[in-house]
Amino acid sequence: MSTHHYSASKREIGAWCLYWARPDVILPPREASAAADLGTALHEGASEEAEPDFERFAELVASGDTSPESLAERYRLSAGAAKRLVDLVDAWRAWWPTYNGGRAWRAEVPFAFDGQTDTARELPSQGQRDYSAATDDELPGTVDQHVVDEHGAVILDLKTGRGPHRLADHVRQLEHGAVVLARMHGLDEVRIVVAHVTPDGVVVDERVLDAFDLEAAAQAMTAELARIPTAEPVDGTHCRWCPARGICPKTTALVAEVLPGALPERRLPLVGAVEDDETARAFIEGLPLLEAWVDDRWKQVRAYAERGAVPLGSGRVWGKVEKPGREKVDLEVKGAIDAINEALGPAAEVALEVETSKSAIERGVRKQLAGEGGGKRGDLGKRKEAILEALRKLGALKRGAPFTVFEAFERKAELPAAGGGT
Ligand code: SF4
């Protein structure tokens, strides 16, 4: 059984970084997303009866008793995702007969390429993406659709997410399937195809890998497998697709570094979901410090830019710019209100807003008391409360709708823990 986490579908990330694939890295649970749920629904539909994913769903949809609503319930999809699922199946159903050529395609077959022996095999599997039968020397991967016959070999990968999905974006994954078929069947060329299924139709991008391409791909996969045990993290834009981004030292270390001593023994994950008490607590304690750090950094950058504008490239700079202040209307100036009334007539009541607040009333009381020599101790509160009480009796003191804040408080015994923890 393989202990690494590498598989063909992750080769695009593997080209940049293989740290996450190391056997000693414990991957966090997969984060849910609408796109992932849709993809999972399509694949689960396939694995239930070991039939092609789209075929399985095409049957379900065509049976007539499977509405978007029941699909949504069955696969825990939103109504929009269920509708999209039906649209995708319809698009696939219209396209597949025009493409498959009546050949004996097989779907969702797990394979493994052995980097040590340069051989390949079909893996026994208990379900979707079950690679437990692969060894540490093997790189497993599942091929959406493939065919090998007298007309040649084809590896076809179905994509459903937001595109464009071109072959160049997925070539490493498809190379794996092509090398597998080449080694298993003694072939020296394999066609690889990306078919992007959209609600508006299927976009196909394909090319043929020759013997040189297949050999280069086999050697690359062998080298990747060999690098995994000692791979170090290499961060970049590819991290957003990485299954280890929530726990990787590269994506969690930065905050600890900018807050030296502030968060002992604690790192703030820069990416990934908040899904446990420990992570949530780290953010609750760490984010105010981080915000203070950001404020301080901006202060320092502004102070630096006081000396001269900072070049940004392409002829642009960042620096101090003097702007004219905003004009404000001062109604206390004699004649200002008259001017508005004269110009607008009855419509002036819209332009002249009258408003107050508890603090404005308090300011008014302070001004009144100042005019009376300061008043006695407690006068401020009494007069303010008298005004508020008068307004209350008039029905002019209204309470706004309840609102929610998140803050620290003493937990009452009956309140459950937010994340189910203690
Ligand atoms: S988050 Fe980035 S650096 Fe870390 S293991 Fe993943 S790809 Fe590598």
Side-chain angles (χ1 to χ4, degrees), residues 88 267 383 407:
L88 292 177
R267 291 175 157 181
R383 288 196 193 182
E407 59 188 14

Side-chain angles (χ1 to χ4, degrees), residues 13 17-20 233-236 238-239 242 244-245 248-251:
I13 303 175
C17 174
L18 283 165
Y19 172 78
W20 56 272
V234 181
D235 58 336
H238 53 275
C239 293
C242 176
R245 64 188 182 278
C248 170
K250 278 284 184 185
T251 53

Side-chain angles (χ1 to χ4, degrees), residues 250-280:
K250 278 284 184 185
T251 53
T252 59
L254 179 59
V255 175
E257 283 164 15
V258 300
L259 299 168
L263 298 171
E265 306 296 318
R266 181 164 287 161
R267 291 175 157 181
L268 293 187
L270 290 185
V271 290
V274 178
E275 289 182 319
D276 57 73
D277 286 354
E278 176 66 16
T279 309

Side-chain angles (χ1 to χ4, degrees), residues 167-384:
L167 190 57
D169 303 323
H170 307 285
V171 71
R172 289 170 186 275
Q173 178 183 353
L174 274 76
E175 277 176 353
H176 171 268
V179 169
V180 162
L181 291 193
R183 295 302 186 257
M184 287 177 68
H185 299 277
L187 306 171
D188 56 13
E189 69 172 41
V190 178
R191 180 175 294 274
I192 56 174
V193 184
V194 163
H196 183 202
V197 185
T198 78
D200 302 321
V202 179
V203 181
V204 173
D205 196 2
E206 55 190 331
R207 66 175 270 220
V208 173
L209 297 184
D210 63 21
F212 293 107
D213 297 325
L214 294 166
E215 182 56 30
Q219 288 188 20
M221 289 189 288
T222 302
E224 288 155 21
L225 285 165
R227 283 205 304 276
I228 289 173
T230 56
E232 290 299 322
V234 181
D235 58 336
T237 53
H238 53 275
C239 293
R240 77 192 132 138
W241 307 115
C242 176
R245 64 188 182 278
I247 51 96
C248 170
K250 278 284 184 185
T251 53
T252 59
L254 179 59
V255 175
E257 283 164 15
V258 300
L259 299 168
L263 298 171
E265 306 296 318
R266 181 164 287 161
R267 291 175 157 181
L268 293 187
L270 290 185
V271 290
V274 178
E275 289 182 319
D276 57 73
D277 286 354
E278 176 66 16
T279 309
R281 199 158 46 237
F283 279 124
I284 291 165
E285 293 171 358
L287 286 179
L289 297 164
L290 188 59
E291 283 158 3
W293 176 84
V294 170
D295 286 347
D296 179 65
R297 292 290 98 181
W298 274 118
K299 212 163 114 191
Q300 301 238 9
V301 170
R302 283 193 290 271
Y304 179 80
E306 287 270 3
R307 300 185 216 160
V310 181
L312 298 178
S314 306
R316 300 180 71 235
V317 294
W318 191 95
K320 202 169 176 181
V321 180
E322 295 293 342
K323 302 212 171 185
R326 288 201 190 135
E327 282 189 318
K328 276 178 73 179
V329 179
D330 186 354
L331 293 179
E332 289 189 4
V333 172
K334 195 173 170 195
I337 294 177
D338 291 343
I340 293 173
N341 277 324
E342 191 179 320
L344 292 177
E349 68 178 45
V350 177
L352 293 169
E353 292 174 353
V354 178
E355 62 175 42
T356 189
S357 64
K358 285 186 178 177
S359 50
I361 289 170
E362 185 174 314
R363 286 197 299 275
V365 173
R366 281 184 193 281
K367 190 169 181 181
Q368 187 183 50
L369 287 172
E372 296 170 11
K376 292 199 297 269
R377 187 186 171 94
D379 278 354
L380 174 67
K382 280 186 203 152
R383 288 196 193 182
K384 180 182 166 189

Side-chain angles (χ1 to χ4, degrees), residues 35-47 51-54 56-57 75 77 85-86 88-89 108 128 159-160 197:
D37 286 348
L38 186 64
T40 302
L42 284 162
H43 284 287
E44 280 178 0
S47 57
E51 289 182 5
D53 46 355
F54 276 102
R56 166 81 181 129
F57 272 95
Y75 294 105
L77 299 172
L85 180 60
V86 173
L88 292 177
V89 170
E108 294 285 320
Q128 192 209 343
K159 297 293 178 193
T160 55
V197 185

